[in-house]
PDB file of all heavy atoms in Angstrom:
ATOM      1  N   LYS A  53       5.431   9.728 -17.874  1.00 98.00           N
ATOM      2  CA  LYS A  53       6.175   9.282 -19.046  1.00 98.00           C
ATOM      3  C   LYS A  53       7.418  10.149 -19.238  1.00 98.00           C
ATOM      4  O   LYS A  53       7.345  11.381 -19.173  1.00 98.00           O
ATOM      5  CB  LYS A  53       5.276   9.370 -20.283  1.00 98.00           C
ATOM      6  CG  LYS A  53       5.757   8.604 -21.506  1.00 98.00           C
ATOM      7  CD  LYS A  53       4.629   8.599 -22.542  1.00 98.00           C
ATOM      8  CE  LYS A  53       4.946   7.693 -23.726  1.00 98.00           C
ATOM      9  NZ  LYS A  53       3.798   7.611 -24.662  1.00 98.00           N
ATOM     10  N   VAL A  78       6.593   5.246 -17.533  1.00 98.00           N
ATOM     11  CA  VAL A  78       6.677   4.759 -18.910  1.00 98.00           C
ATOM     12  C   VAL A  78       7.897   5.379 -19.574  1.00 98.00           C
ATOM     13  O   VAL A  78       8.105   6.592 -19.509  1.00 98.00           O
ATOM     14  CB  VAL A  78       5.405   5.132 -19.707  1.00 98.00           C
ATOM     15  CG1 VAL A  78       5.505   4.629 -21.141  1.00 98.00           C
ATOM     16  CG2 VAL A  78       4.168   4.572 -19.013  1.00 98.00           C
ATOM     17  N   MET A 111       2.797  13.169 -23.684  1.00 97.00           N
ATOM     18  CA  MET A 111       2.347  12.122 -24.597  1.00 97.00           C
ATOM     19  C   MET A 111       1.894  10.850 -23.887  1.00 97.00           C
ATOM     20  O   MET A 111       1.751   9.797 -24.506  1.00 97.00           O
ATOM     21  CB  MET A 111       3.465  11.789 -25.601  1.00 97.00           C
ATOM     22  CG  MET A 111       3.985  13.006 -26.373  1.00 97.00           C
ATOM     23  SD  MET A 111       2.671  13.990 -27.165  1.00 97.00           S
ATOM     24  CE  MET A 111       2.132  12.832 -28.427  1.00 97.00           C
ATOM     25  N   LEU A 112       1.651  10.957 -22.589  1.00 97.00           N
ATOM     26  CA  LEU A 112       1.132   9.812 -21.830  1.00 97.00           C
ATOM     27  C   LEU A 112      -0.279   9.487 -22.296  1.00 97.00           C
ATOM     28  O   LEU A 112      -1.164  10.342 -22.312  1.00 97.00           O
ATOM     29  CB  LEU A 112       1.128  10.141 -20.329  1.00 97.00           C
ATOM     30  CG  LEU A 112       0.604   9.045 -19.400  1.00 97.00           C
ATOM     31  CD1 LEU A 112       1.586   7.879 -19.349  1.00 97.00           C
ATOM     32  CD2 LEU A 112       0.369   9.613 -17.998  1.00 97.00           C
ATOM     33  N   GLU A 113      -0.512   8.241 -22.685  1.00 98.00           N
ATOM     34  CA  GLU A 113      -1.816   7.782 -23.163  1.00 98.00           C
ATOM     35  C   GLU A 113      -2.640   7.226 -21.989  1.00 98.00           C
ATOM     36  O   GLU A 113      -2.075   6.682 -21.031  1.00 98.00           O
ATOM     37  CB  GLU A 113      -1.639   6.687 -24.210  1.00 98.00           C
ATOM     38  CG  GLU A 113      -0.861   7.100 -25.447  1.00 98.00           C
ATOM     39  CD  GLU A 113      -1.718   7.846 -26.458  1.00 98.00           C
ATOM     40  OE1 GLU A 113      -2.943   7.949 -26.217  1.00 98.00           O
ATOM     41  OE2 GLU A 113      -1.169   8.311 -27.467  1.00 98.00           O
ATOM     42  N   PRO A 114      -3.976   7.345 -22.032  1.00 98.00           N
ATOM     43  CA  PRO A 114      -4.812   6.802 -20.956  1.00 98.00           C
ATOM     44  C   PRO A 114      -4.535   5.328 -20.660  1.00 98.00           C
ATOM     45  O   PRO A 114      -4.538   4.915 -19.489  1.00 98.00           O
ATOM     46  CB  PRO A 114      -6.239   7.010 -21.485  1.00 98.00           C
ATOM     47  CG  PRO A 114      -6.134   8.190 -22.390  1.00 98.00           C
ATOM     48  CD  PRO A 114      -4.786   8.072 -23.048  1.00 98.00           C
ATOM     49  N   GLU A 115      -4.284   4.551 -21.710  1.00 98.00           N
ATOM     50  CA  GLU A 115      -4.046   3.113 -21.495  1.00 98.00           C
ATOM     51  C   GLU A 115      -2.666   2.825 -20.909  1.00 98.00           C
ATOM     52  O   GLU A 115      -2.391   1.701 -20.488  1.00 98.00           O
ATOM     53  CB  GLU A 115      -4.223   2.337 -22.807  1.00 98.00           C
ATOM     54  CG  GLU A 115      -3.333   2.793 -23.945  1.00 98.00           C
ATOM     55  CD  GLU A 115      -3.979   3.862 -24.813  1.00 98.00           C
ATOM     56  OE1 GLU A 115      -4.915   4.542 -24.326  1.00 98.00           O
ATOM     57  OE2 GLU A 115      -3.548   3.996 -25.970  1.00 98.00           O
ATOM     58  N   GLU A 116      -1.806   3.847 -20.850  1.00 98.00           N
ATOM     59  CA  GLU A 116      -0.482   3.661 -20.250  1.00 98.00           C
ATOM     60  C   GLU A 116      -0.482   3.938 -18.744  1.00 98.00           C
ATOM     61  O   GLU A 116       0.496   3.666 -18.058  1.00 98.00           O
ATOM     62  CB  GLU A 116       0.540   4.575 -20.931  1.00 98.00           C
ATOM     63  CG  GLU A 116       0.836   4.183 -22.372  1.00 98.00           C
ATOM     64  CD  GLU A 116       1.800   5.142 -23.055  1.00 98.00           C
ATOM     65  OE1 GLU A 116       1.630   6.375 -22.914  1.00 98.00           O
ATOM     66  OE2 GLU A 116       2.725   4.663 -23.739  1.00 98.00           O
ATOM     67  N   VAL A 117      -1.570   4.484 -18.228  1.00 98.00           N
ATOM     68  CA  VAL A 117      -1.669   4.756 -16.794  1.00 98.00           C
ATOM     69  C   VAL A 117      -1.801   3.439 -16.032  1.00 98.00           C
ATOM     70  O   VAL A 117      -2.630   2.585 -16.379  1.00 98.00           O
ATOM     71  CB  VAL A 117      -2.877   5.663 -16.490  1.00 98.00           C
ATOM     72  CG1 VAL A 117      -3.056   5.831 -14.979  1.00 98.00           C
ATOM     73  CG2 VAL A 117      -2.707   7.018 -17.162  1.00 98.00           C
ATOM     74  N   CYS A 118      -0.996   3.272 -14.998  1.00 98.00           N
ATOM     75  CA  CYS A 118      -1.072   2.070 -14.168  1.00 98.00           C
ATOM     76  C   CYS A 118      -2.143   2.286 -13.090  1.00 98.00           C
ATOM     77  O   CYS A 118      -1.854   2.757 -11.987  1.00 98.00           O
ATOM     78  CB  CYS A 118       0.293   1.783 -13.530  1.00 98.00           C
ATOM     79  SG  CYS A 118       0.328   0.272 -12.555  1.00 98.00           S
ATOM     80  N   TYR A 119      -3.370   1.960 -13.428  1.00 98.00           N
ATOM     81  CA  TYR A 119      -4.497   2.205 -12.522  1.00 98.00           C
ATOM     82  C   TYR A 119      -4.398   1.362 -11.252  1.00 98.00           C
ATOM     83  O   TYR A 119      -4.963   1.741 -10.213  1.00 98.00           O
ATOM     84  CB  TYR A 119      -5.814   1.935 -13.249  1.00 98.00           C
ATOM     85  CG  TYR A 119      -6.048   2.869 -14.407  1.00 98.00           C
ATOM     86  CD1 TYR A 119      -5.694   2.512 -15.709  1.00 98.00           C
ATOM     87  CD2 TYR A 119      -6.597   4.138 -14.202  1.00 98.00           C
ATOM     88  CE1 TYR A 119      -5.891   3.376 -16.781  1.00 98.00           C
ATOM     89  CE2 TYR A 119      -6.800   5.008 -15.261  1.00 98.00           C
ATOM     90  CZ  TYR A 119      -6.435   4.624 -16.546  1.00 98.00           C
ATOM     91  OH  TYR A 119      -6.619   5.492 -17.589  1.00 98.00           O
ATOM     92  N   PRO A 139      -2.160  13.703 -25.642  1.00 97.00           N
ATOM     93  CA  PRO A 139      -3.054  12.766 -24.931  1.00 97.00           C
ATOM     94  C   PRO A 139      -2.943  12.799 -23.402  1.00 97.00           C
ATOM     95  O   PRO A 139      -3.736  12.171 -22.726  1.00 97.00           O
ATOM     96  CB  PRO A 139      -2.617  11.405 -25.468  1.00 97.00           C
ATOM     97  CG  PRO A 139      -1.161  11.576 -25.747  1.00 97.00           C
ATOM     98  CD  PRO A 139      -1.001  12.997 -26.255  1.00 97.00           C
ATOM     99  N   LYS A 142      -6.165  13.657 -21.523  1.00 98.00           N
ATOM    100  CA  LYS A 142      -7.123  12.558 -21.420  1.00 98.00           C
ATOM    101  C   LYS A 142      -6.668  11.540 -20.374  1.00 98.00           C
ATOM    102  O   LYS A 142      -7.489  11.004 -19.613  1.00 98.00           O
ATOM    103  CB  LYS A 142      -7.291  11.873 -22.774  1.00 98.00           C
ATOM    104  CG  LYS A 142      -7.996  12.733 -23.820  1.00 98.00           C
ATOM    105  CD  LYS A 142      -8.126  11.983 -25.137  1.00 98.00           C
ATOM    106  CE  LYS A 142      -8.831  12.830 -26.194  1.00 98.00           C
ATOM    107  NZ  LYS A 142      -8.915  12.129 -27.500  1.00 98.00           N
ATOM    108  N   ALA A 143      -5.367  11.289 -20.324  1.00 98.00           N
ATOM    109  CA  ALA A 143      -4.834  10.326 -19.356  1.00 98.00           C
ATOM    110  C   ALA A 143      -5.047  10.829 -17.931  1.00 98.00           C
ATOM    111  O   ALA A 143      -5.432  10.062 -17.030  1.00 98.00           O
ATOM    112  CB  ALA A 143      -3.351  10.093 -19.627  1.00 98.00           C
ATOM    113  N   THR A 144      -4.807  12.121 -17.715  1.00 98.00           N
ATOM    114  CA  THR A 144      -4.982  12.702 -16.381  1.00 98.00           C
ATOM    115  C   THR A 144      -6.436  12.654 -15.943  1.00 98.00           C
ATOM    116  O   THR A 144      -6.750  12.247 -14.812  1.00 98.00           O
ATOM    117  CB  THR A 144      -4.485  14.155 -16.371  1.00 98.00           C
ATOM    118  OG1 THR A 144      -3.118  14.195 -16.808  1.00 98.00           O
ATOM    119  CG2 THR A 144      -4.584  14.757 -14.976  1.00 98.00           C
ATOM    120  N   SER A 146      -8.757  10.684 -17.043  1.00 98.00           N
ATOM    121  CA  SER A 146      -9.131   9.277 -16.860  1.00 98.00           C
ATOM    122  C   SER A 146      -8.688   8.780 -15.484  1.00 98.00           C
ATOM    123  O   SER A 146      -9.439   8.103 -14.775  1.00 98.00           O
ATOM    124  CB  SER A 146      -8.501   8.426 -17.971  1.00 98.00           C
ATOM    125  OG  SER A 146      -8.757   7.052 -17.757  1.00 98.00           O
TER     126      SER A 146
END
Side-chain angles (χ1 to χ4, degrees):
K53 196 170 188 175
V78 180
M111 305 308 291
L112 180 70
E113 300 279 355
E115 58 269 22
E116 292 177 315
V117 174
C118 183
Y119 296 95
K142 291 180 180 178
T144 304
S146 175

